[in-house]
Amino acid sequence: MRSLLTGNEAVAEGALAAGCNFYAGYPITPSSEIMHIMAERLPRRGGVFYQAEDEIAAINAIIGASWAGAKAMTATSGPGFSLMQEGIGYAVMTETPLVIVDVMRAGPATGQATKPAQGDVMQARWGRHGDQVVPVLAPSTPQECFDMTVRAFAIAEELRTPVIVLSDEFIGHGREVVEIPGRVEVPSRRRPRGRGEPPFDSPDPRVAPPMPPLGEGYYVLVTGSTHDAYGYRDTRGFETHYRLVRRLWDKIWLNMDKLFDYEERNAEEADVGFVAFGSTARSVVKAVEILEARGVRAGYVRLKTLWPLDLRPIRRLAEAARAIIVPELGMGQLILDVERAVRGETRVVGYNKVGGGEPIYPSELARFALEVLGRA
Amino acid sequence: MPSAEHFALKYLRREALPTAFCPGCFNGIVINALAKAFEEEGVEDLRNYVFVSGIGCAAWIPSPFMKVDSLHTLHGRAIPVAVGVKLANPGLDVVVVSGDGDLGSIGLGHLVHAARRNMDLAVIMVNNLVYGMTRGQQSPTTPPGLWTTTTPYGSYEYPMDVCRLLAETSANYVARWTPAHFNRLKESIKHMLFRRRRGFRFLEVVAPCTTYVSRRRGLRPGEALKELLRKSVRLEKPGKPGSGGPGERIVVGVFKDEDKPGYLDLYYSYVERARRGGTHG
Ligand SMILES: Cc1ncc(C[n+]2csc(CCOP(=O)(O)OP(=O)(O)O)c2C)c(N)n1
Ligand SMILES: [Mg+2]
């Protein structure tokens, strides 16, 4: 079925298609349409919609719902995303499948509530205290909002992890044709085979342990404190802590092949290369067309997964290119990882602006690229 | 021949015993009251219960000592997690056990809203008058004048009476007892879990921290219990309105006992309405 949808509408459709049956949230622009759609649709299809008293309650309610067997999600924006961080860390530690959608707006603080930005990149990566990594998917179109929300549920269920979908106001409120498949298949979390199978350890770190249901005599011990394979707290020993945190880390990083997704163009022969994600990547695609029309060899790597981030495609782009440009709606966050990938072998320059709903126009990016090449 | 083993063991995780509580801690009496309540109601095992707690000594009562599905959550967040569990699987009996700091300070917003919604949860707040786990700091229920590690010259703030606060909301049941009123305490638990099965049910247990309150004041646990009994004033007694709060007088009793529809009753009728009207879904 083809529909004309905004990114936010496509997120809600994707969630419903994936079998999301529990939504808790707190109103915040520019994500609220997701909440409105869930409020209308979930109660009628046997699901639960819950308007929480704040974002802290929302993230914790979906954690409880997920343990009670629900496919649970929330959506928010900057200020609410900040409030949810501790809960996201708890979900990492307790291996709770969740989907969190952050529709980025201009910050810090209340900033510009209705205006887009890409300033939550590092918060999505490092917003929690302690060692952890959460898969972060970055849609560029309403279609990808649909597809990536479905994928987020699949990853959450398979790896028993929170998954973040990092959208922004441009995509969230932009309207495009979205192809909605008739049937969407999302696997459900694995249950233990018997009472003995540990719910918090796994012989293969790439495979999540099984998740016991509540109310069936598993007597599951869920805790955000350091715990052993059966959930018993051990807040003193080195072995238990290192083993747990190492496994949770490896669970995401060793699944790079499964989780990392990107798109590239002319990556191995570009004189100038762009690295971008989300709404700015749309301008990059157009800027590359403009440059090609002028006979400039330009290329890009568009990241569809921000974390876990595979640096190799960026490195390949840098091998041929004389300069790498990283456009961001903000002062520059992704550029730090691009620099890490390039290791000083090529010039890396940011193109940064944010505020007032000003996009980064393809024409200005193309102009900037020519300037950079002239100087390179 | 020794007789059958202790009745409470069927509700406890043997491998987690003995508990980590200080000698003389009243949390043991709370566990005992819970176990007695289940025993007297003929509950064989706790598989249909989910206990949710926050962070603090009181939060350790279910986790890991009780043989039950338990979620030991973030500091202050037991209520929203419990709400998520209950709404996602209403067939489960969800009980929150946590401290005065956890529920009354960092988590107060959640507590009040759950009470306002008459959310289908039973909540037991063990009020030890301080933050026990973090070594005896002032809590919102610390009585005036009490020494704590953050009020070394005596607490000077107005304390909060959580029962009176919640009695003003749509909560169905609100009561306060102390470990010195063991039977009342146990009966309240039975009432919350087995008689009133819907809406928000709240029980405060005033149980001064053995280590940071009682010992500091030169009281042994037994003496502290006697003092609790002496200081307690029954809410129902005419002419004794009670100052509330756990200060010189501890007002104990049942502040409220109703059986209004709970949150889920209201949600189900809302869902009915949603299904009858509207065009998509
Ligand atoms: C966000 C956060 N802030 C602070 C703490 C530290 N902390 C742990 S327990 C606690 C107080 C617990 O007090 P209470 O709920 O009264 O429980 P008690 O130990 O007295 O039973 C605090 C402040 C924490 N774990 N998390
Ligand atoms: Mg306390």
Side-chain angles (χ1 to χ4, degrees), chain B residues 27 30 58 61 96-105 108 111 122-129 139-141 160-163 166 175-177 185 192 201-207 246:
Chain B
N27 284 349
V30 177
I61 287 175
V96 171
V97 182
S98 229
D100 46 316
D102 192 80
L103 291 165
S105 186
L108 183 69
L111 182 71
V123 179
I124 299 174
M125 183 180 89
V126 183
N127 176 9
N128 59 4
L129 311 181
S139 95
T141 58
M160 180 163 59
D161 184 332
V162 180
C163 283
L166 297 187
R176 179 191 288 133
W177 298 108
L185 180 62
M192 287 207 298
R201 293 143 283 159
F202 181 82
L203 170 64
E204 174 182 347
V205 187
V206 179

Side-chain angles (χ1 to χ4, degrees), chain A residues 40 43-44 46-51 53-54 56 60-61 64-65 86 90 214-215 219-224 232-233, chain B residues 13 15 45 47 60 63-64 68-70 72-74 77 80-81 84-85 87 110 117 263 267 271 274-275 277 280:
Chain A
E40 190 183 333
R44 296 159 53 91
V48 175
F49 169 84
Y50 182 66
Q51 180 172 337
E53 57 271 18
D54 55 41
I56 299 176
N60 284 284
E86 195 193 13
Y90 181 84
L214 302 179
Y219 300 124
V220 49
L221 269 173
V222 182
T223 178
Y232 283 97
R233 272 193 304 274
Chain B
R13 292 182 201 260
E15 61 277 24
D45 60 54
R47 70 170 55 209
W60 283 22
S63 171
V68 66
D69 287 332
S70 64
H72 177 243
T73 70
L74 292 169
R77 314 307 166 200
V81 171
V85 171
L87 296 186
H110 307 310
R117 293 176 164 117
Y263 182 91
Y267 188 70
V271 168
R275 289 207 164 119
H280 16 211

